[in-house]
Amino acid sequence: SEAKKKAAADLAAKNLAQLQKIDIAASKILDKMPFAAIYRIDPVKKEWNNANCEGTLFVYQRADRPYFSFLIANRNDPSDFIEPLTMNHNLRLDGNFIYFHKDNSSIQALWFHEMSDTQRVFNLLQKLVDKLKASTTEQARAAGGIKAPNTAATVSTNPPQTSKSVDILQMIKSA
């Protein structure tokens, strides 16, 4: 109904306004989850610990670089968790967890109640990372005068194959 559409639009506008209080460059919310938590690995004990950061997760587009980020509006602490997405992010889906790291940073994990939510957010994050890789490749081709192949590039939303990149789970086990 019209009333429900208006209420949803009002809520989306309020959410974006709240997000912009934290990140002024936020321009569009791509997905939202009412609850997610961050886990970090303890390198000494070699075990995962809740990072005391949980709350609403926003995956969003920004008006400036980095063009995509995700954020947890932390219910436990005044400091929120913000992770700008880059083409160097490695993501791995495992049950209710999305493991992620970039470059030489430590591995962290997002945890969700429902596996279907985990899968949906993983697909979106992987799609955004792939989009960043593709746009960087296009820029490099343009700068270097390399011709792009004639085939249309499609962005896969399937989980990455382990042989394709660093196996995060293997890194976790060997930590």
Side-chain angles (χ1 to χ4, degrees):
S1 76
E2 246 353 91
K4 284 185 181 179
K5 285 182 183 177
K6 182 172 178 356
D10 288 348
L11 180 60
K14 284 179 185 174
N15 282 332
L16 183 58
Q18 284 299 109
L19 187 55
Q20 287 170 334
K21 288 179 182 177
I22 300 165
D23 183 347
I24 193 130
S27 60
K28 181 180 180 184
I29 295 173
L30 303 174
D31 203 349
K32 179 184 95 147
M33 290 298 312
F35 185 85
I38 292 289
Y39 282 77
R40 294 192 174 109
I41 195 156
D42 180 331
V44 176
K45 295 181 181 176
K46 296 184 180 182
E47 63 186 22
W48 286 96
N49 295 312
N50 185 311
N52 197 33
C53 180
E54 52 191 49
T56 304
L57 170 92
F58 294 96
V59 180
Y60 62 99
Q61 188 170 339
R62 301 180 77 251
D64 197 4
R65 289 183 183 183
Y67 293 116
F68 304 105
S69 291
F70 62 90
L71 174 144
I72 293 180
N74 196 354
R75 296 177 186 161
N76 298 333
D77 191 270
S79 60
D80 297 310
F81 178 87
I82 301 174
E83 181 75 10
L85 282 174
T86 72
M87 67 176 196
N88 297 325
H89 265 88
N90 288 309
L91 304 169
R92 176 72 186 253
L93 178 67
D94 186 19
N96 292 54
F97 290 91
I98 299 172
Y99 298 102
F100 63 95
H101 80 101
K102 62 183 173 198
D103 304 319
N104 295 325
S105 67
S106 61
I107 299 168
Q108 300 178 81
L110 284 170
W111 179 84
F112 300 89
H113 283 291
E114 299 293 327
M115 281 180 55
S116 60
D117 294 334
T118 312
Q119 180 73 55
R120 188 182 83 237
V121 172
F122 172 81
N123 288 347
L124 174 59
L125 294 175
Q126 188 63 58
K127 180 179 173 182
L128 296 174
V129 169
D130 290 345
K131 186 175 185 174
L132 290 167
K133 286 178 183 175
S135 69
T136 302
T137 303
E138 289 300 319
Q139 289 169 1
R141 284 189 188 121
I146 302 167
K147 286 188 175 182
N150 290 335
T151 57
T154 56
V155 176
S156 170
T157 56
N158 294 329
Q161 301 301 314
T162 7
S163 60
K164 180 175 145 187
S165 62
V166 177
D167 186 345
I168 297 175
L169 291 179
Q170 190 58 42
M171 289 176 63
I172 293 165
K173 291 174 187 170
S174 63

